[in-house]
Amino acid sequence: MTVLSSLAEAFASSRHVLSAWCGAPDPTNAALLAREDFDAVTFDMQHGPVDFAGVARGVPLVQAAGKPVVARIPVGDFTTASRLFDAGCSAVIAPMVNSVEDARAFVHFAKYPPLGGRSWGPFAALPASGLEPNAYLATANGFSLAIAMIETRAALAALDGILAEPGIDGVFVGPSDLSIALSDGANVDAMRADVETTLQAIVARAKAAGKVACCYAINPEQAASCRRMGFGFVALMGDGPLLRLGAQTAIKAARG
């Protein structure tokens, strides 16, 4: 097992993965969190200033701590999936995958033929894999994981088709966006009862399809709840909220 394939192997063996979530443009936070007891580190390129160069700088820092790297791309930017896998990411999350057609477009850039159309150029992934080129080509589709976000009513309606699409390895849910969708834009509340019910249904449908259910948790309590529901991958908060929580805890203790 290498750090590059460790996430796929965790999914295959049903080991729960707890990931840090980083939205800062400098990879310092990611490097620090990778040294804590997280199983992976996720970079968020959708919201915030993280760009491809920032992720590429962060990948070796996180891998040096023995942890795999995940990245969430901007909406519709499927072409970046290939570059992130070339840079050594173990999984890519694509937001707003609302149809089977969206899922197929994502897979095209995430997987090598015959599943997709990813072109050759794994400049950092190949040495990280420890494989010779043809062995990497033959096996990369299995450990370069394509994860589609389910966060709209359209995505929920198309969920079974998205899960059945060859090359989609799992689905990812953001409970805040899900709450907006379920309320038709009336409010955002990641802890609402209908959000929890929908999360449970997504887990059940993913498991029935033999795929991994993944989610973002806004706090430690929701992370524990998602784990109990059966989510195989949970991203805990973000580096900003985590820093604030740590600061608040430390200040409270310091002031008695």
Side-chain angles (χ1 to χ4, degrees):
M1 180 179 74
T2 67
V3 67
L4 194 62
S5 62
S6 61
L7 185 62
E9 291 168 12
F11 285 178
S13 61
S14 299
R15 293 199 309 272
H16 181 266
V17 176
L18 182 66
S19 178
W21 186 273
C22 296
D26 186 278
T28 301
N29 285 357
L32 289 171
L33 291 172
R35 298 289 175 179
E36 300 302 325
D37 196 24
F38 287 105
D39 304 301
V41 173
T42 302
F43 289 91
D44 183 16
M45 301 172 69
Q46 180 187 5
H47 297 296
V50 182
D51 58 12
F52 174 78
V55 177
R57 289 196 305 271
V59 167
L61 299 176
V62 173
Q63 289 181 340
K67 308 296 173 65
V69 178
V70 181
R72 180 168 71 171
I73 56 177
V75 175
D77 189 11
F78 300 137
T79 58
T80 298
S82 298
R83 299 183 69 200
L84 290 167
F85 285 128
D86 289 344
C89 287
S90 294
V92 171
I93 301 168
M96 294 291 177
V97 174
N98 293 325
S99 66
V100 172
E101 291 72 24
D102 287 344
R104 287 175 183 164
F106 176 32
V107 168
H108 177 76
F109 292 102
K111 303 289 186 177
Y112 287 116
L115 281 179
R118 178 182 167 192
S119 62
W120 184 256
F123 65 94
L126 183 60
S129 74
L131 300 170
E132 58 87 24
N134 281 306
Y136 178 90
L137 177 63
T139 57
N141 283 350
F143 58 75
S144 303
L145 305 176
I147 301 175
M149 280 199 74
I150 305 299
E151 50 190 333
T152 65
R153 287 190 179 274
L156 288 170
L159 177 57
D160 291 332
I162 293 169
L163 285 166
E165 187 63 26
I168 293 295
D169 300 292
V171 292
F172 186 98
V173 191
S176 294
D177 278 318
L178 185 61
S179 74
I180 294 172
L182 293 175
S183 68
D184 295 319
N187 61 67
V188 55
D189 181 1
M191 305 299 288
R192 274 203 332 256
D194 60 339
V195 172
E196 181 170 349
T197 301
T198 305
L199 289 174
Q200 292 170 341
I202 292 171
V203 170
R205 290 162 74 178
K207 286 187 174 181
K211 305 293 176 73
V212 179
C214 314
C215 73
Y216 179 91
I218 66 169
N219 55 44
E221 293 73 26
Q222 188 175 52
S225 175
C226 287
R227 181 176 183 177
R228 289 192 296 270
M229 285 183 209
F231 280 95
F233 176 101
V234 178
L236 177 59
M237 305 169 67
D239 47 354
L242 198 60
L243 176 62
R244 289 195 297 272
L245 179 62
Q248 290 163 5
T249 302
I251 291 168
K252 184 178 179 181
R255 289 180 171 167

